[in-house]
Amino acid sequence: MTAKLLKNYIAGEFVSGCREFRNISPVSGKTIGHVSEADQQLVDQAVSAAKKALKGPWGNMSVQQRAELLYKVADGIEARFDEFVAAEMADTGKSLQQASTIDIPRGAANFRVFADMVKTASSECFHTDTADGKGALNYSLPRPLGVVAVIAPWNLPLLLLTWKLAPALAAGNCIVAKPSEETPSTATLLAEVMHDVGIPPGVFNLVHGYGPNSAGEFLTGHQQIDAITFTGESRTGSAIMRSAAEHVKPLSFELGGKNAAIIFDDADLDEAVAGTARSVFTNGGQVCLCTERVYVHRAIFDTFVKRLKAEAERLKISWPTDPDTDMGPLISNEHKNKVLSYYRLAREEGATFVTGGDVPRFDDERDQGAWVEPTIITGLPESSRCIKEEIFGPICHITPFDTEEQAISLANDSRYGLAAAIWTRDISRGHRVAKEMDAGMVWVNTWYLRDLRTPFGGVKMSGIGREGGQHSLNFYAEPSNICIKL
Ligand code: NAD
């Protein structure tokens, strides 16, 4: 990464804001660049540009023309694939393997999927009887919401930003997006791609900055935006809801989780151990879908714990650029301190550390970075904060259970309800237990197997609404009913 200044992108131009903040490498804690922060005035300009663009060429484009532009965005990401991968790795410290097989390919795929969907979307049509016998025809047309504020987190920066952007654009909206202050780079590259492929000025605007008293809050509290779509912490979701309440905006929220996995004694143990290791440690546990609570049938508890420990200790924790690296650092030293505070709390509460619990030592610049060890703990009561609160790090607690009912009740005993994983060879039990999970997404004998057409979202404090496939298009466009008297 060069140490260039990352700018805001407004009305088709890259512009500087009020001040600059540092972009810090989580690998070493060193500054790798600077980012221009948008103040209220710049956010106002971005929102005005988006409003104006709704009435410009974008608003008059056919669905086919819009879709063609979105295919070009996907092509543009792929044409600069290596740059995107390098930028994502520099900002997050995630491994080359993950950035090049998940984050960036999915970033491009999101544009293709929603361009395809919007081209083939159908609408409702009803024939209505009338007293004169001639009848009436009712049909609905989707209309974009207008200016959509897109607020994204740092864990899967391009993937989650485009997960919202692509359907919002496909539906004909104009956007003001704010990436996380921790991960500004791929969003800025995306603005360059949008510019180069000819997305009309003002259709996509990017503002950089923090949340409170910065670009995030200026944007979500803005009277002129028409909707907010947000992925991030549940607490931030409440703050955004409060600021949006004054002007009554539609909201789509994808929030935190404290996801459970249930391992029955009839599970294929090889698959269950490998799948659970993946679900706990992928991206250093920094995926909203990651498992932090594991419930294992007592008959296989000791074996499972021993085998998961072996998987955790086999992970290669190394430079993101090393093709064999399984796990990089956490996103920042601040987040590392948060995760380590839970490791400390677990120790104080008397947990048994099966493995991990500390920071790895490298004797090089990485010792100033945000690295922590993959960690497995047991022995805490279910009331422990370590079992109740989202840690968002490479850690899980494992609890034994005796009956199916008990496993269901333990898994559901959470304020969150995003995802769950069930491991069993008994497919009837798989269906039965899946149906009982208080979670928006349940995997049976797998984890994080995604079909982008399926509903994605959480219950309880894990979110409001569903995105994915038609669910996204339903949020980003509202149907207008037209009734014709025949
Ligand atoms: P965060 O809530 O701290 O920040 C997310 C975004 O919101 C950032 O861009 C931030 O600048 C902005 N923001 C913060 N305060 C704001 C405010 N008051 N007003 C407007 N914007 C504000 O989340 P994070 O730490 O970046 O991401 C991790 C969290 O995201 C975890 O809780 C994780 O579970 C959740 N997450 C959920 C999903 C999902 O699909 N459910 C996916 C990924 C991450």
Side-chain angles (χ1 to χ4, degrees), residues 81-117:
F81 189 80
D82 293 347
E83 265 179 277
F84 272 93
V85 168
E88 206 74 302
M89 285 166 63
D91 280 4
T92 60
K94 67 176 68 198
S95 67
L96 175 65
Q97 201 274 340
Q98 200 198 307
S100 61
T101 60
I102 301 178
D103 293 75
I104 307 307
R106 258 292 301 281
N110 284 337
F111 286 100
R112 291 214 175 88
V113 165
F114 287 106
D116 284 346
M117 284 210 63

Side-chain angles (χ1 to χ4, degrees), residues 16-333:
S16 294
C18 55
R19 49 179 180 246
E20 291 171 12
F21 62 91
R22 291 188 304 147
N23 185 13
I24 294 169
S25 163
V27 172
S28 62
K30 287 186 180 153
T31 301
I32 51 172
H34 288 86
V35 189
S36 176
E37 182 181 352
D39 55 10
Q40 178 77 62
Q41 199 189 348
L42 225 51
V43 171
D44 288 349
Q45 284 174 24
V47 175
S48 304
K51 256 289 139 346
K52 192 165 157 217
L54 283 169
K55 304 272 176 232
W58 183 250
N60 297 321
M61 259 179 213
S62 66
V63 169
Q64 180 73 33
Q65 286 170 317
R66 272 207 311 267
E68 289 307 325
L69 271 177
L70 297 184
Y71 292 133
K72 284 189 185 163
V73 174
D75 294 344
I77 294 171
E78 282 165 356
R80 298 176 67 179
F81 189 80
D82 293 347
E83 265 179 277
F84 272 93
V85 168
E88 206 74 302
M89 285 166 63
D91 280 4
T92 60
K94 67 176 68 198
S95 67
L96 175 65
Q97 201 274 340
Q98 200 198 307
S100 61
T101 60
I102 301 178
D103 293 75
I104 307 307
R106 258 292 301 281
N110 284 337
F111 286 100
R112 291 214 175 88
V113 165
F114 287 106
D116 284 346
M117 284 210 63
V118 80
K119 278 196 316 186
T120 54
S122 58
S123 81
E124 292 172 302
C125 182
F126 301 97
H127 182 272
T128 307
D129 288 338
T130 56
D132 63 7
K134 292 182 182 164
L137 201 59
N138 280 282
Y139 65 96
S140 62
L141 285 181
R143 290 168 57 90
L145 297 171
V147 177
V148 178
V150 177
I151 310 276
W154 48 255
N155 61 332
L156 302 161
L158 185 74
L159 188 160
L160 290 173
L161 181 68
T162 54
W163 176 239
K164 292 173 175 299
L165 271 183
L169 288 172
N173 297 284
C174 291
I175 310 290
V176 182
K178 194 198 84 63
S180 167
E181 57 276 23
E182 306 281 3
T183 52
S185 300
T186 48
T188 312
L189 282 177
L190 181 65
E192 292 177 12
V193 168
M194 297 263 187
H195 188 86
D196 293 346
V197 304
I199 298 283
V203 171
F204 171 73
N205 305 276
L206 181 73
V207 291
H208 288 296
Y210 299 85
N213 201 24
S214 182
E217 205 170 76
F218 301 150
L219 181 56
T220 53
H222 205 289
Q223 192 177 354
Q224 296 292 314
I225 57 164
D226 297 296
I228 300 171
T229 176
F230 166 74
T231 301
E233 280 191 38
S234 301
R235 203 181 31 196
T236 312
S238 322
I240 291 177
M241 214 164 172
R242 275 194 297 277
S243 72
E246 194 177 340
H247 308 297
V248 192
K249 310 289 182 199
L251 302 168
S252 176
F253 277 177
E254 297 183 334
L255 308 177
K258 187 72 183 177
N259 309 305
I262 303 178
I263 327 291
F264 287 100
D265 55 354
D266 62 358
D268 177 325
L269 213 53
D270 290 345
E271 301 250 326
V273 169
T276 305
R278 206 162 65 80
S279 79
V280 174
F281 301 118
T282 293
N283 208 37
Q286 303 167 117
V287 179
C288 53
L289 308 166
C290 274
T291 303
E292 291 192 3
R293 298 179 295 138
V294 183
Y295 298 101
V296 181
H297 193 275
R298 200 177 295 280
I300 56 163
F301 185 80
D302 291 342
T303 312
F304 183 89
V305 170
K306 206 164 114 204
R307 293 195 53 184
L308 195 68
K309 168 183 155 80
E311 285 291 309
E313 291 175 355
R314 208 185 43 75
L315 294 174
K316 183 165 180 191
I317 302 166
S318 188
W319 299 100
T321 43
D322 179 340
D324 297 326
T325 291
D326 295 302
M327 208 180 98
L330 299 178
I331 188 64
S332 64
N333 277 317

